[in-house]
Amino acid sequence: MSNKNTGSMYAENILLLGAGFTKNFGGLLASEMWAEIFNNEKIQAQPRIKKLMLNNFDYESVYYSVLEGLEDKESLLPTLKFKRKEKDAIQEATKAAYDTIDETLLRRLRKYPEIEWIHNTDTLFFNFGNTKNKSFIFTLNQDLFIERFYQNPLEPRDPTKIYILRLCIPGIDKYPVWYMNRDSFYDFIPFSTDEEREQFYNLKKEDYYLLPNEDVLNSRKENLLKKESYFLIKLHGSYNWISSNGSKSMVIGRGKTEQINNEPLLRFYFDTFKEVLSQDKRRLLVIGYGFGDEHINSVISNAVKNHGLKIYILSPESPKSFKEKLCDGCGKSKDIINIWNGVSGYFQCVEDVLLKDTYGNQSEKEHFYNVFFGKNNWKL
């Protein structure tokens, strides 16, 4: 992709989400994913994977080592070549962990509209989409939180809404019936029984999407960002996507750059990420990402150094603790140093912005919106 004459097309404000974002609503952090996978009966039936996991608490590293048969330096174990049944076990256990996340989200969705925080997430996404330029939510998460909880307007560019743009996932042509339409659970689709209502959101075979191969994507690439203006970019794939070669497409473990390069749509997404952040004087809000992915950090670092990117972090941790974790084990990484030096705003008011009842004290939320979006440039 070329960034010539495209800067004015892109909105100034950009959102980047990591696992810590969904954790607020029932998702799992890396350590919790490790436990969920380790406890799975399929893993417990595989002694070599158990031993590997007991010596390495990075579930992504374990996943990659089992599938690729590479030496796992973290575990201090010799190179192992895993059998097909062992590879199946780690894949099935990992999918089951994502099943657990999705079921947790569904339990909350079934309580809508009583969910206190639903207006807060809407407000955040609305304000990123409330622009005439092309706007982006980049996420490293493979869960379906946004797809299940976000409420798109029923009609495109509905002038009665707080915003004018519909959020879409470029390159994905087939959406589930419930896609970004949580109200359908209650009054959009008539249900005959409670069981029918309960089953509405469960993933079905037709809800899994086969990604386009190289030829198909090349024939459509020029138009992927032209039809709409508000985009959800899932940089590491999605829980309900199938790779263009028929395998699972989630980018898990080491070698993420190689995995992305091997999947045409994900490669396009990563190029888009670089393109958007390479515009001058953009503002990036980061929620729930601990800067643990080198390929992501490299892009952000370059944008800070060469394009004046300003970084704003929303995290419950103190700035000191966040910085200590950020720099732990990174040595003198230039990317990490650039990223930290690029921080222009730090907020610990996660509960006020995302979780608290809308009708409570909103002073912390308003302060956050004033600093990031600018006074009078946002709506609650």
Side-chain angles (χ1 to χ4, degrees), residues 65 170 186 193 267 280 292 317:
S65 295
Y186 286 86
T193 64
R267 188 167 65 248
D280 290 339
E317 293 187 88

Side-chain angles (χ1 to χ4, degrees), residues 22-48:
T22 312
K23 170 62 179 175
N24 292 298
F25 314 105
L28 300 177
L29 296 177
S31 61
E32 296 166 321
M33 282 290 287
W34 180 95
E36 190 72 28
I37 294 168
F38 181 77
N39 294 339
N40 188 284
E41 60 181 11
K42 293 185 182 297
I43 296 301
Q44 291 298 308
Q46 301 298 333
R48 294 203 302 171

Side-chain angles (χ1 to χ4, degrees), residues 204-255:
K204 306 169 186 63
K205 184 178 180 180
E206 59 268 24
D207 294 335
Y208 288 84
Y209 181 75
L210 180 67
L211 297 183
N213 60 31
E214 192 84 53
D215 291 338
V216 173
L217 185 67
N218 285 339
S219 68
R220 304 166 52 200
K221 188 180 296 185
E222 290 187 4
N223 296 315
L224 286 185
L225 300 181
K226 289 184 178 180
K227 294 182 180 179
E228 301 290 347
S229 297
Y230 193 17
F231 305 102
L232 173 63
I233 306 291
K234 306 190 80 169
L235 291 166
H236 289 171
S238 185
Y239 164 59
N240 65 326
W241 292 357
I242 300 170
S243 177
S244 56
N245 64 13
S247 64
K248 300 184 185 303
S249 65
M250 291 191 295
V251 179
I252 296 177
R254 295 172 293 171

Side-chain angles (χ1 to χ4, degrees), residues 4-21:
K4 293 181 179 180
N5 302 318
T6 59
S8 61
M9 293 170 50
Y10 299 141
E12 179 183 2
N13 300 318
I14 306 161
L15 179 60
L16 174 64
L17 304 177
F21 174 79

Side-chain angles (χ1 to χ4, degrees), residues 260-275:
I260 289 171
N261 286 335
N262 289 336
E263 186 60 59
L265 185 62
L266 296 187
R267 188 167 65 248
F268 173 79
Y269 282 177
F270 191 62
D271 287 343
T272 300
F273 181 60
K274 291 187 289 186
E275 171 85 6

Side-chain angles (χ1 to χ4, degrees), residues 75-135:
S75 69
L76 302 179
L77 295 176
T79 302
L80 297 174
K81 290 186 177 181
F82 289 90
K83 299 177 181 179
R84 182 70 262 169
K85 65 178 182 180
E86 293 171 315
K87 294 182 179 182
D88 290 343
I90 195 70
Q91 286 184 312
E92 291 172 18
T94 302
K95 181 183 181 301
Y98 281 96
D99 287 337
T100 297
I101 295 175
D102 203 48
E103 179 53 38
T104 300
L105 296 178
L106 282 178
R107 284 198 297 270
R108 294 200 171 198
L109 188 59
R110 293 180 184 116
K111 296 180 180 179
Y112 171 74
E114 289 80 14
I115 303 174
E116 292 183 347
W117 46 258
I118 201 70
H119 179 75
N120 296 332
T121 55
D122 277 352
T123 300
L124 181 68
F125 297 147
F126 287 174
N127 279 286
F128 275 94
N130 189 26
T131 173
K132 296 179 181 180
N133 297 321
K134 293 186 181 298
S135 304

Side-chain angles (χ1 to χ4, degrees), residues 124-257:
L124 181 68
F125 297 147
F126 287 174
N127 279 286
F128 275 94
N130 189 26
T131 173
K132 296 179 181 180
N133 297 321
K134 293 186 181 298
S135 304
F136 294 86
I137 297 176
F138 293 101
T139 180
L140 304 174
N141 300 334
Q142 293 117 341
D143 61 61
L144 303 178
F145 175 83
I146 296 179
E147 291 93 320
R148 290 196 180 283
F149 283 94
Y150 186 71
Q151 179 66 67
N152 255 336
L154 297 181
E155 297 295 333
R157 309 183 190 285
D158 185 344
T160 66
K161 295 292 182 179
I162 189 175
Y163 62 106
I164 61 174
L165 304 179
R166 289 171 59 85
L167 186 60
C168 68
I169 306 177
I172 304 299
D173 297 326
K174 188 189 74 171
Y175 296 124
V177 176
W178 44 261
Y179 172 76
M180 294 189 187
N181 184 22
R182 62 172 182 265
D183 283 338
S184 62
F185 190 79
Y186 286 86
D187 52 24
F188 185 68
I189 302 288
F191 298 102
S192 302
T193 64
D194 289 341
E195 181 179 0
E196 195 174 297
R197 183 187 297 273
E198 288 292 310
Q199 291 297 319
F200 178 70
Y201 274 93
N202 291 344
L203 282 178
K204 306 169 186 63
K205 184 178 180 180
E206 59 268 24
D207 294 335
Y208 288 84
Y209 181 75
L210 180 67
L211 297 183
N213 60 31
E214 192 84 53
D215 291 338
V216 173
L217 185 67
N218 285 339
S219 68
R220 304 166 52 200
K221 188 180 296 185
E222 290 187 4
N223 296 315
L224 286 185
L225 300 181
K226 289 184 178 180
K227 294 182 180 179
E228 301 290 347
S229 297
Y230 193 17
F231 305 102
L232 173 63
I233 306 291
K234 306 190 80 169
L235 291 166
H236 289 171
S238 185
Y239 164 59
N240 65 326
W241 292 357
I242 300 170
S243 177
S244 56
N245 64 13
S247 64
K248 300 184 185 303
S249 65
M250 291 191 295
V251 179
I252 296 177
R254 295 172 293 171
K256 289 177 180 174
T257 299

